[in-house]
Amino acid sequence: GLEMVEQLVNRGANVTLVEMMPQILGPLDVEMAKYLENDLVKRGVEVITGDAIQEFKEYEKDPDSSVLTLKSGRVLPPAHLTILGLGVRPDTAMVKEAGIECTPRGHIMVNEHLQTSAPNVWAVGDAVEV
């Protein structure tokens, strides 16, 4: 999702990012996520955290646009394009069954060398957390 935000901003689009979690990039620590959020804001992105989209409606004055209402009741300005980036959740049930340590959110715990808690097992990608 953030890659798309960056590309749209680079093309001059007005962008609003709605994140239902308390911060963008949930796996990052709070300070790093806030640093990246501030960078987005400096680039003109409106960042809304702790809220989610509740409803899409066609904009009466322009049927090619939609209006989004958030769960908080806030109504966003009409938009010509809405992109849903729903994120990924690691499917690590097999890893847990093998006795490899995972975080409470299900990510595989690795060290700085990407080694897991099991001998001779390394992990990379969206399912890991260092």
Side-chain angles (χ1 to χ4, degrees):
L2 288 179
E3 294 89 354
M4 186 60 66
V5 167
E6 182 179 35
Q7 293 303 314
L8 290 168
V9 168
N10 288 343
R11 286 168 175 72
N14 293 323
V15 178
T16 300
L17 173 65
V18 179
E19 170 59 57
M20 73 175 175
M21 300 304 290
Q23 70 180 42
I24 64 169
L25 295 169
L28 294 182
D29 61 47
V30 174
E31 294 82 16
M32 181 58 76
K34 193 62 175 172
Y35 175 82
L36 295 171
E37 180 180 328
N38 290 339
D39 184 62
L40 289 172
V41 170
K42 286 179 192 172
R43 297 181 66 198
V45 177
E46 180 180 5
V47 178
I48 301 168
T49 57
D51 209 345
I53 297 171
Q54 178 173 316
E55 179 180 53
F56 289 86
K57 279 189 177 177
E58 183 179 295
Y59 182 50
E60 295 173 4
K61 296 180 182 178
D62 179 1
D64 291 331
S65 296
S66 57
V67 175
L68 284 77
T69 302
L70 304 182
K71 288 188 176 183
S72 65
R74 180 175 175 185
V75 178
L76 300 180
H80 289 288
L81 176 65
T82 301
I83 299 172
L84 296 176
L86 303 177
V88 294
R89 288 187 192 261
D91 183 4
T92 54
M94 175 184 70
V95 175
K96 290 177 189 174
E97 289 172 13
I100 295 174
E101 186 179 353
C102 294
T103 69
R105 295 182 354 180
H107 291 86
I108 303 166
M109 292 291 298
V110 296
N111 65 17
E112 65 273 9
H113 304 290
L114 302 176
Q115 294 170 307
T116 68
S117 60
N120 300 314
V121 177
W122 288 260
V124 298
D126 290 334
V128 304
E129 187 170 310
V130 179

